[in-house]
Amino acid sequence: MGFIPVNEPLLNGNEKKYLCECIDTGWISSEGPFVKEFEQKMSHSVNRKFGVAVANGTAALEVAVQALEIGKDDEVIMPTFTIISCAMAVTKVGAKPVLVDSDKNTWNMNIDEIESKITSKTKAIMVVHLYGLPVEIDKVLEIAKKYNLKVIEDAAEMHGQTYLGKPCGSFGDISIFSFYPNKHITTGEGGMIVTDDEELTEKCKSIRNLCFKKDVRYVHDEISDNYRFTNLQAAVGLAQLERIDEFVKIKRNMGTYYTERLKDVKGIKLPITKTNYAENIYWVYGIVLDESITLDNREIQKKFAEEGIGTRTFFWCMHEQPVYIKMGFFRNEKYPNAEYLARKGFYIPSGLALTDEQRKRVVESVKKVMKEIA
Ligand SMILES: *Cc1c(COP(=O)(O)O)cnc(C)c1O
């Protein structure tokens, strides 16, 4: 019995065909024709006018923050329980992440805490949809409107998800996606900014490519970076995007399969299957140990490894990141729900290529491990 990795992507559509086209035509750089086609198709698939493809999701967040001209001493409200890319995009420009705790049930940011965190320095709210369920975005948009704040929507894990029928990625002043191999659509590495604002789009394109002065090559007014996205990545992305509906079905089917078989296992809490605004798409299938279990997620991870099952712990909170503590951020701040998730949450193999045989073995292992420790 082989090891079951926590994620394996599905690349058996037109990926190879489109990649061969890149090789045959010689178009492998960011100048190739697939890049624009992918930007159009991806952005239109989430009802946005424009897309700017970049090197990865982290880069997309950085470009978004810079394009919105968030800078020194500005504040951006975000969840403490998220990937560090969100906070880094903000601290990189000298701005300050201001954190909110998590909702125990959805694992998303607790939107009821947002308003109390707004100050005269607040510039934006960074909404991050996590693990398969969207944030209750209408309420966030209302707050943003009331206080005249920008919304950056991190939809990295939400390809194919909707909020009350409208696509995730369609809500922010700027929204971003990642195409890392554990996302529903992958390009190996990759990311995209989507928006309806033409001026922001032009800014993002400039930031993506070293901020070349318009019409004068090799002359620059601003510091930037090379965040470009290649034709090879776009070739894979186009093939993946053709199958997004199928991929979402596979994920939901996996979620239902796991939930049906694990719902009576003692000591664990499973992801909620739906809220009144969305049905879970299980970016990954997360499990949270309940209060009866004394072990933490890292210890559990070892037990699953012995069973030949790959797992991954949940994100680690921003206010507990050694790098931010060292920099003097978040002193004495406490976010109990997020801290609990970070210590007790993990996810089991959930990739698109997961076979029936594999998921059966995963279920057996979860039952076995939990019986041993309960
Ligand atoms: C994956 C992810 C990112 C970062 O994307 P990369 O492509 O890995 O840089 C950002 N935000 C969230 C919520 C993610 O899950």
Side-chain angles (χ1 to χ4, degrees):
M1 281 198 296
F3 184 80
I4 304 177
V6 75
N7 175 68
E8 258 183 289
L10 206 52
L11 300 165
N12 54 358
N14 285 323
E15 288 83 357
K16 205 182 264 176
K17 183 177 158 208
Y18 298 158
L19 277 171
C20 285
E21 247 180 87
C22 298
I23 307 291
D24 291 342
T25 59
W27 281 115
I28 57 172
S29 78
S30 57
E31 297 291 323
F34 286 149
V35 177
K36 280 197 181 65
E37 189 183 341
F38 183 52
E39 286 174 336
Q40 272 169 13
K41 288 191 169 153
M42 178 68 209
S43 56
H44 293 174
S45 79
V46 293
N47 297 350
R48 301 313 295 248
K49 286 197 187 122
F50 309 106
V52 181
V54 292
N56 50 64
T58 304
L61 285 166
E62 288 182 13
V63 173
V65 166
Q66 289 168 44
L68 290 171
E69 295 180 8
I70 291 165
K72 201 167 159 27
D73 298 327
D74 290 335
E75 294 179 357
V76 178
I77 296 173
M78 67 174 70
T80 184
F81 182 65
T82 183
I83 191 164
I84 201 163
S85 311
C86 301
M88 277 187 177
V90 169
T91 54
K92 248 188 155 171
V93 297
K96 185 182 165 203
V98 172
L99 307 176
V100 300
D101 201 359
S102 309
D103 179 283
K104 253 190 202 161
N105 299 313
T106 63
W107 311 337
N108 275 318
M109 66 198 295
N110 180 357
I111 53 174
D112 295 332
E113 287 181 19
I114 293 175
E115 221 166 341
S116 68
K117 300 276 175 150
I118 295 172
T119 71
S120 58
K121 293 179 178 169
T122 310
K123 266 274 185 101
I125 304 170
M126 190 181 280
V127 175
V128 192
H129 309 293
L130 290 173
Y131 294 100
L133 281 171
V135 170
E136 203 171 354
I137 190 88
D138 274 348
K139 289 198 180 155
V140 179
L141 295 176
E142 230 170 79
I143 297 169
K145 201 170 166 200
K146 183 169 160 195
Y147 294 92
N148 194 23
L149 305 174
K150 299 290 182 196
V151 172
I152 302 165
E153 181 190 15
D154 181 345
E157 304 173 2
M158 289 297 126
H159 304 266
Q161 179 59 295
T162 56
Y163 170 87
L164 291 177
K166 284 184 250 167
C168 290
S170 69
F171 297 104
D173 291 280
I174 290 194
S175 304
I176 72 99
F177 287 95
S178 161
F179 307 118
Y180 188 71
N182 66 2
K183 315 292 165 146
H184 294 181
I185 287 182
T186 184
T187 61
E189 297 283 351
M192 196 180 293
I193 296 130
V194 296
T195 179
D196 293 323
D197 184 321
E198 193 163 10
E199 205 186 312
L200 272 180
T201 304
E202 289 312 310
K203 257 191 198 161
C204 289
K205 282 185 181 164
S206 173
I207 295 165
R208 167 174 70 180
N209 189 21
L210 301 168
C211 286
F212 276 95
K213 206 175 169 77
K214 256 205 155 64
D215 312 320
V216 208
R217 204 163 171 84
Y218 304 118
V219 180
H220 308 260
D221 293 326
E222 307 275 348
I223 292 288
S224 184
D225 215 319
N226 171 358
Y227 295 110
R228 296 187 301 256
F229 182 84
T230 71
N231 208 50
L232 297 165
Q233 289 168 293
V236 175
L238 281 168
Q240 291 266 299
L241 192 57
E242 289 169 358
R243 301 174 71 189
I244 181 62
D245 294 338
E246 178 192 345
F247 287 174
V248 168
K249 268 196 202 125
I250 291 173
K251 285 282 189 169
R252 287 209 167 113
N253 181 291
M254 170 204 71
T256 308
Y257 180 94
Y258 278 146
T259 299
E260 277 174 1
R261 284 155 189 83
L262 298 175
K263 65 179 189 298
D264 297 323
V265 176
K266 290 211 169 54
I268 54 178
K269 280 192 256 185
L270 305 179
I272 49 178
T273 56
K274 60 173 188 244
T275 61
N276 49 21
Y277 43 86
E279 195 189 324
N280 207 323
I281 52 165
Y282 308 99
W283 167 56
V284 292
Y285 195 89
I287 289 178
V288 181
L289 301 167
D290 73 16
E291 286 80 0
S292 70
I293 306 294
T294 51
L295 298 185
D296 70 18
N297 50 12
R298 279 165 221 281
E299 293 160 315
I300 293 281
Q301 193 171 32
K302 283 192 204 124
K303 299 207 178 284
F304 279 106
E306 283 162 21
E307 295 284 312
I309 308 289
T311 58
R312 190 156 297 167
T313 56
F314 274 10
F315 294 126
W316 193 247
C317 299
M318 292 309 104
H319 69 283
E320 296 190 287
Q321 293 292 344
V323 60
Y324 286 133
I325 293 167
K326 200 168 65 189
M327 288 166 74
F329 281 105
F330 317 130
R331 233 177 237 145
N332 301 320
E333 293 181 26
K334 293 257 182 301
Y335 302 95
N337 292 344
E339 287 166 25
Y340 191 90
L341 291 171
R343 284 162 179 78
K344 300 289 186 168
F346 63 99
Y347 56 91
I348 56 180
S350 328
L352 286 162
L354 193 72
T355 64
D356 289 351
E357 192 75 21
Q358 287 176 323
R359 62 187 194 181
K360 198 164 155 228
R361 242 184 77 203
V362 174
V363 166
E364 283 160 11
S365 296
V366 174
K367 287 182 174 167
K368 182 166 168 233
V369 169
M370 292 313 298
K371 202 169 169 184
E372 273 170 28
I373 63 169

